[in-house]
Amino acid sequence: MHSNINLAEKGKDNRVRWIDCLKALGIYLVILGHTLKDSYLSVWIYSFHMPLFFILSGYLIGAKSNISDKKEYLKRKSKSLLLPFIVFRVLLVTYWLLVESHFRELDLGPIWFLIILFFVEISIVFVFTTNKNLLKNSIITVGVILFYLLLRPVLPDEHYFYPWVKVYLNGTIWFCLGFLSRSVTDGIDLKKNMGIALMILSFLVSICFCNYNGSVSIYSDIVNNYLLFLFFGAIGTLSFFLFSKIVVKKNRLLEYIGKYTIVILAVHEPIKRILLKSMEVISGISVYEFQHNDIYAIVISLFVLSLTFPVIQMFKIIKNRTGKFGEVVLGFIK
């Protein structure tokens, strides 16, 4: 397994197939993690599912030799991250006002990832892309980790702004690790059998021992032992990287899901809540029971994922039928 992304790995639309498959697996784990409560399985999922997406972002940036046109880069990132955050924030707040304001408080929801990643990519990326020295980039990464660890205890959670600083720094660390992983793995030719063995080993260590660090969350800034947090986040991500690249490689359904992870990220929570409440009314089984049973949660999360498909198609139709407006506002939907 060669680490480089090459044309043979790309589909007709020039997307890297195994990466779309990886994103699809990752977004399903996000849905399952949000559906399942107080379970060993949810502890395992949370140990790496958000680090995976930050690492993947840094990994993909690491594929670029340099970003010479910074204005163009900022424009591109605004369209791919900031714009969808704004669009879905408006839509979700509108939905909340019309439907859920009577029985639940308004929150930011999973789209927090988009705005945090936007600020991570426009701030740290220029430090790395103008300097390809592995040692210096490693020093920068260690510096960010130390800064986060020193700053974290003194920033009060009661303040609205400070918790977001901690989330930003935490996401930056994982992004840096993804960028470094690209630098380290470029040129390494990992044999398939060795890759599979490493995948199995990392998966087993991840799932068998993740509970040693307990439940963690980047969004809630719960990391427990930070070295263990880094370890389990890295090996969990590694297992899925290898699984997607060596075992799956390409899959039309997963590639479709991976192509629209932003939409799925944004809409799955209200779909999940509506589905759970509907199933409670129909079956007589409480939402609590559904969310505290692994099998129920796995099946429900698959239903939630499938219900995002018509939403994706709806956005595609709106984009295609609204001309220039659709191209501008929904340009992130391919």
Side-chain angles (χ1 to χ4, degrees), residues 260-277:
Y260 298 106
T261 49
I262 287 181
V263 180
I264 297 170
L265 178 74
V267 305
H268 77 270
E269 269 291 306
I271 292 175
K272 180 203 76 178
R273 291 192 291 268
I274 292 170
L275 181 61
L276 281 170
K277 193 61 182 179

Side-chain angles (χ1 to χ4, degrees), residues 45-152:
I45 291 170
Y46 270 79
S47 72
F48 71 92
H49 75 319
M50 292 316 298
L52 183 153
F53 281 102
F54 281 109
I55 288 173
L56 179 59
S57 299
Y59 180 85
L60 293 175
I61 291 292
K64 305 178 189 305
S65 58
N66 189 32
I67 298 175
S68 55
D69 191 339
K70 292 179 173 56
K71 288 184 179 180
E72 178 59 31
Y73 175 80
L74 180 59
K75 180 181 178 182
R76 189 167 73 250
K77 289 302 173 183
S78 296
K79 290 174 64 176
S80 63
L81 292 172
L82 183 59
L83 179 61
F85 172 80
I86 295 171
V87 169
F88 283 115
R89 182 60 175 161
V90 170
L91 292 176
L92 291 169
V93 169
T94 303
Y95 163 77
W96 177 81
L97 287 170
L98 295 174
V99 180
E100 295 189 341
S101 59
H102 307 292
F103 52 85
R104 68 183 299 270
E105 294 293 324
L106 178 65
D107 56 33
L108 187 57
I111 59 171
W112 67 265
F113 172 76
L114 299 178
I115 192 64
I116 291 296
L117 182 61
F118 171 75
F119 284 114
V120 169
E121 291 206 357
I122 65 171
S123 59
I124 197 67
V125 71
F126 299 122
V127 177
F128 280 137
T129 53
T130 55
N131 173 25
K132 286 293 183 178
N133 186 293
L134 179 59
L135 176 60
K136 290 183 179 179
N137 286 341
S138 300
I139 292 172
I140 291 169
T141 302
V142 172
V144 176
I145 294 174
L146 292 176
F147 182 66
Y148 167 74
L149 292 177
L150 290 172
L151 193 64
R152 185 172 179 264

Side-chain angles (χ1 to χ4, degrees), residues 173-219:
I173 290 167
W174 291 108
F175 180 88
C176 292
L177 292 174
F179 187 94
L180 285 178
S181 71
R182 183 75 196 198
S183 302
V184 170
T185 58
D186 268 349
I188 295 178
D189 188 8
L190 185 63
K191 302 301 181 184
K192 183 177 180 180
N193 289 343
M194 290 183 64
I196 291 175
L198 182 59
M199 175 194 73
I200 294 172
L201 177 62
S202 58
F203 175 80
L204 289 176
V205 172
S206 171
I207 200 167
C208 291
F209 300 105
C210 64
N211 204 42
Y212 275 83
N213 199 37
S215 182
V216 296
S217 168
I218 291 180
Y219 176 67

